[in-house]
Amino acid sequence: MPTVVSIGDGIIDAVELTPGNVQRFPGGAALNLAVGIARLGLTSRFVTRYGLDRDGFLLERYLRQQGVQVLNPPNVDFTGVVSSGRLDGEPTYHFAPAMFRRRIAFTDKVLEAIESADAVVVNSFPFDDARQAEALVAAFARSAGLIVVDPNPRPNLITDLAAYRSGAELAIAAASLAKLSDEDAALLYGTSMEATVTHLFALGVDTVLLTHGSTGASVRTKAGLAASAPVASMPGAVIDTMGAGDATLATVIAFILGKGIPRDEIGWRACLVEAMQVAAATCRSPGGALAVPPSYLATRGKQV
């Protein structure tokens, strides 16, 4: 069974789904990704940071229940909390002070896990800290597997956008696949998507996965391949779009590790169709955890 090491935020999402109704979910883009990887049937290991507090214990218990192995122990700071509201399912965010102090420790245990993993994925990381970005890239050098970077910038969490972009690009230059949403590209570069993709290829990445919100997702490769898929049609109302991009990325990684990197546009479109099915199911449940639809189980012929 392929092993994926996910690196990044593990937090509490305090979600106001309706006025006055706040629910708390284990979350963070990297945690959602790690849980999604496990729910898709892969071995999932998670490198993160959370506190030795009530919220940290909640995260630890949840990850254990989901079959995710946590590689870093709790630290003495508070667990990060993100408060968010919803408008037509779309989130707005407020970050607690501990979120601005998040740092990842690359211990010997973490480096050993990276070295043996089939894929290493970074999703929500303090790229605006140069030392953290350099430590991440040094850890990448230990990997012989697929390296994936999702910069996942959050405007209210970034104190220096230029530094964040520089750190993210340092990581992307060492990656095989980079993922950006339309909002991410606009925030980081403010240019056309075509110019952004060209720039990322110049950094050295081979494949760019793009998510376009309500219009679906697409892939571009340095070799000139291009494929896209619309949002999947599915019964039920959209409850929460948080986690849709993480679900998309998790599904693409599972596809690649199970079937290999697609070599033509037909293969990439099949990959994206699966990802859009999983993302659509995820949007129909509260919180950011990946939801696996029956259509995915049918194509894989197994239960998750």
Side-chain angles (χ1 to χ4, degrees), residues 203-222:
L203 293 175
V205 73
D206 294 321
T207 304
V208 180
L209 169 64
L210 303 166
T211 55
H212 309 296
S214 62
T215 60
S218 62
V219 162
R220 297 279 300 277
T221 75
K222 189 183 288 187

Side-chain angles (χ1 to χ4, degrees), residues 117-144:
D118 296 284
V120 180
V121 190
V122 180
N123 190 355
S124 67
F125 187 83
F127 285 115
D128 44 0
D129 184 320
R131 287 186 297 179
Q132 281 277 281
E134 290 165 2
L136 174 65
V137 172
F140 281 167
R142 303 283 290 266
S143 173

Side-chain angles (χ1 to χ4, degrees), residues 218-243:
S218 62
V219 162
R220 297 279 300 277
T221 75
K222 189 183 288 187
L225 297 178
S228 63
V231 169
S233 177
M234 188 169 292
V238 171
I239 297 174
D240 193 350
T241 62
M242 181 171 62

Side-chain angles (χ1 to χ4, degrees), residues 75-150:
N75 64 86
V76 296
D77 200 357
F78 295 108
T79 300
V81 177
V82 179
S83 302
S84 57
R86 293 293 181 274
L87 179 61
D88 298 327
E90 292 291 338
T92 57
Y93 300 103
H94 171 74
F95 300 94
M99 291 294 299
F100 295 89
R101 300 189 294 267
R102 72 202 201 282
R103 298 293 182 268
I104 300 295
F106 290 93
T107 63
D108 289 343
K109 186 175 182 180
V110 168
L111 295 176
E112 289 169 5
I114 287 173
E115 189 171 356
S116 63
D118 296 284
V120 180
V121 190
V122 180
N123 190 355
S124 67
F125 187 83
F127 285 115
D128 44 0
D129 184 320
R131 287 186 297 179
Q132 281 277 281
E134 290 165 2
L136 174 65
V137 172
F140 281 167
R142 303 283 290 266
S143 173
L146 178 73
I147 297 176
V148 181
V149 175
D150 180 355

